[in-house]
């Protein structure tokens, strides 16, 4: 009997070894606590973070190319967002000195305040600069509007004010919508968004309406999630092309707004299965370089406190070196959290950056270099 048990254990060993997770292979804990400081001591970074490592057997590096929306795809977005509301749909292409522009618009015909606008722009060299579709619904009674292109009114919360939908119910609505025009995407993050108001002339103000909704962020289904970052730049001077963004706002009335920005196509893999540096090396790099990155604010503030609450392994949309118009999905580590600024040591908070899903440091998971999300490399 002992020999039989020993034989069975021996046969099980390879199976157990093969069941090792990516988190095990990287020697990454599920939670990490640490503190980093700048040389002056003015910047203090407190790490009390959950470590998120998706389980993947392999980690390819993907080559990607920005793409335009098809007319059928845009009409599917409109039909999904408008539901049973009657609407008009326009699709217009124009050649201008600055390049080729395609304009899309859909307007509700029942006074419900629904509107979808879109633009696709190729520069004179034929390189796609922007492809964006934006749906907005303005409540005719409260004047509430949820601006998906801004993130100053987004926060992590348990229940939006004035909304009875649970988090799961909101995601089910958004998931169903996404399946109709963006199959192959899944939810990568959820938060609460505050509504703004419109003034009498129909222009938008930054006054808080008192109404809130769920905001859900989506990314492609790949071996690693594409890390969503609310701090992506809004102008095209920093980015050659916007990273792919799919955001949906949902409340009791359904889909209130949607932003689908920067879609891209997968071209194939540059590396079938890359080797990642171990987690302790990632933390060592962060300890040295995060204080240097944040310390630039020490010229204006005497007390800077960073609170890192999540460390995530995911893909980031980066520029492909020496290949204009081509990009790479690169595995990266993101240190996500908030920042508080004080004029005096231990004084009153005079400034803060508290938007959720904002990376304070992004490290290339293959070679350990730091990536600037403002420039994409």
């Amino acid at each position: 009997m002992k020999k039989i048990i020993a034989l069975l254990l021996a046969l099980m060993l390879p199976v157990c070894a093969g069941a090792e997770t990516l988190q095990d292979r990287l020697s990454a804990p599920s939670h990490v606590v640490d503190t980093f400081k700048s040389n002056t001591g003015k910047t203090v970074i407190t790490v009390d973070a959950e470590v998120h490592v998706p389980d993947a057997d392999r980690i390819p590096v993907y080559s990607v190319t920005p793409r335009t929306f098809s007319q059928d795809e845009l009409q599917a977005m409109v039909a999904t967002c408008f539901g049973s509301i009657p609407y008009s749909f326009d699709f217009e292409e124009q050649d201008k000195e600055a390049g080729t522009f395609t304009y899309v618009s859909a307007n509700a015909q029942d006074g419900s305040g629904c509107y979808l606008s879109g633009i696709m722009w190729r520069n004179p060299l034929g390189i796609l600069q922007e492809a964006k579709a934006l749906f907005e619904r303005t409540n005719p009674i409260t004047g509430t509007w949820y601006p998906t292109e801004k993130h100053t009114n987004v926060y992590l919360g348990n229940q939006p004010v004035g909304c009875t939908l649970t988090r799961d119910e909101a995601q089910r609505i958004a998931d169903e919508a996404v399946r109709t025009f963006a199959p192959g995407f899944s939810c990568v993050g959820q938060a609460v968004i505050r509504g703004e108001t419109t003034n009498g002339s129909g222009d938008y103000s930054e006054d808080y309406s008192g109404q809130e909704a769920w905001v859900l962020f989506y990314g492609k289904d790949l071996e690693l999630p594409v890390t969503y970052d609310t701090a992506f730049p809004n102008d095209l001077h920093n980015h050659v092309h916007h990273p792919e963004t799919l955001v949906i706002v949902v409340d009791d009335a359904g889909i209130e707004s949607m932003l689908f920005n920067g879609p891209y196509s997968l071209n194939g893999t540059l590396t079938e299965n890359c080797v990642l540096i171990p987690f302790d090396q990632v933390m060592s790099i962060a300890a040295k370089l995060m204080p240097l990155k944040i310390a630039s604010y020490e010229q204006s503030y005497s007390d800077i406190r960073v609170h890192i609450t999540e460390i995530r392994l995911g893909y980031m949309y980066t520029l492909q070196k020496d290949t204009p118009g081509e990009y790479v999905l690169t595995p990266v580590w993101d240190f996500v959290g908030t920042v508080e600024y004080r004029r005096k040591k231990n004084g009153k908070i005079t400034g803060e950056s508290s938007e959720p899903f904002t990376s304070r440091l992004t490290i290339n998971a293959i070679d350990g270099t730091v990536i600037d999300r403002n420039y994409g490399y």
Side-chain angles (χ1 to χ4, degrees):
M1 179 61 71
K2 291 182 178 179
K3 290 183 178 181
I4 294 175
I5 294 174
L7 178 60
L8 289 173
L9 290 174
L11 291 172
M12 289 174 61
L13 285 176
V15 176
C16 294
E20 187 181 40
T21 66
L22 178 60
Q23 192 146 7
D24 295 331
R25 298 196 297 274
L26 297 176
S27 300
S30 59
H31 193 97
V32 63
V33 176
D34 210 334
T35 302
F36 313 142
K37 295 182 180 180
S38 64
N39 292 335
T40 65
K42 293 181 179 180
T43 299
V44 179
I45 301 165
T46 302
V47 180
D48 190 353
E50 298 295 323
V51 181
H52 299 283
V53 182
D55 194 16
D57 294 332
R58 66 186 188 96
I59 304 176
V61 176
Y62 288 101
S63 171
V64 300
T65 302
R67 67 172 180 87
T68 60
F69 296 108
S70 69
Q71 186 168 343
D72 288 344
E73 185 178 14
L74 288 164
Q75 287 181 312
M77 293 182 206
V78 172
T80 300
C81 292
F82 282 68
S84 61
I85 299 171
Y87 60 86
S88 60
F89 182 85
D90 293 306
F91 189 91
E92 179 186 3
E93 294 183 338
Q94 295 182 11
D95 289 328
K96 297 183 176 181
E97 187 175 340
T100 302
F101 291 80
T102 302
Y103 299 98
V104 182
S105 64
N107 292 278
Q109 296 178 319
D110 66 348
S112 59
C114 293
Y115 176 75
L116 184 139
S117 61
I119 185 172
M120 292 176 279
W121 168 34
R122 291 187 182 275
N123 67 19
L125 298 176
I127 296 175
L128 183 64
Q129 294 288 122
E130 185 175 18
K132 176 173 67 176
L134 177 65
F135 170 75
E136 299 168 0
R137 181 202 305 266
T138 302
N139 187 304
I141 298 174
T142 64
T144 297
W145 165 67
Y146 297 98
T148 48
E149 290 192 285
K150 293 169 56 182
H151 299 288
T152 54
N153 57 351
V154 176
Y155 70 95
L156 293 174
N158 295 320
Q159 186 66 41
V161 173
C163 176
T164 64
L165 288 178
T166 66
R167 185 189 301 265
D168 290 342
E169 289 170 339
Q171 185 173 332
R172 279 196 291 272
I173 293 172
D175 284 350
E176 183 178 353
V178 168
R179 279 194 294 270
T180 63
F181 62 83
F185 281 66
S186 59
C187 186
V188 295
Q190 297 170 321
V192 173
I193 184 169
R194 298 183 176 95
E196 293 183 7
T197 60
T198 58
N199 58 31
S201 64
D203 296 327
Y204 299 120
S205 72
E206 293 190 3
D207 293 330
Y208 177 43
S209 70
Q211 297 293 310
E212 298 180 344
W214 291 108
V215 55
L216 302 101
F217 308 96
Y218 285 79
K220 275 189 173 68
D221 291 324
L222 298 169
E223 286 78 5
L224 302 178
V226 180
T227 302
Y228 186 79
D229 190 316
T230 54
F232 72 88
N234 280 327
D235 66 90
L236 294 175
H237 300 291
N238 288 337
H239 261 293
V240 177
H241 184 267
H242 283 300
E244 187 173 62
T245 305
L246 177 52
V247 183
I248 297 184
V249 174
V250 178
D251 68 5
D252 293 351
I255 296 176
E256 292 286 358
S257 61
M258 180 203 66
L259 171 66
F260 197 174
N261 198 3
Y264 58 78
S265 299
L266 296 175
N267 297 333
T269 56
L270 298 174
T271 304
E272 288 295 331
N273 186 18
C274 61
V275 177
L276 306 186
I277 59 177
F279 186 76
D280 59 354
Q281 187 174 340
V282 173
M283 288 299 294
S284 178
I285 294 168
K288 294 176 183 176
L289 298 184
M290 196 184 306
L292 293 177
K293 179 185 177 185
I294 305 295
S296 60
Y297 293 100
E298 292 183 0
Q299 297 177 5
S300 303
Y301 300 96
S302 297
D303 191 355
I304 303 164
R305 303 179 192 180
V306 183
H307 306 282
I308 301 299
T309 55
E310 290 183 272
I311 302 174
R312 299 177 179 174
L313 177 63
Y315 281 122
M316 179 183 169
Y317 183 87
T318 60
L319 291 166
Q320 186 165 325
K321 188 177 180 181
D322 302 326
T323 310
E326 296 293 326
Y327 297 80
V328 177
L329 284 181
T330 302
V332 300
W333 287 100
D334 279 296
F335 288 70
V336 178
T338 61
V339 185
E340 299 170 350
Y341 308 98
R342 294 171 172 82
R343 298 291 182 189
K344 296 181 180 180
K345 194 69 175 177
N346 298 319
K348 181 181 178 181
I349 297 175
T350 54
E352 62 180 342
S353 176
S354 58
E355 298 85 359
F357 316 122
T358 299
S359 180
R360 304 302 168 180
L361 185 71
T362 300
I363 297 175
N364 188 315
I366 300 173
D367 61 17
T369 56
V370 171
I371 298 176
D372 189 331
R373 282 189 168 269
N374 285 322
Y375 294 94
Y377 56 86

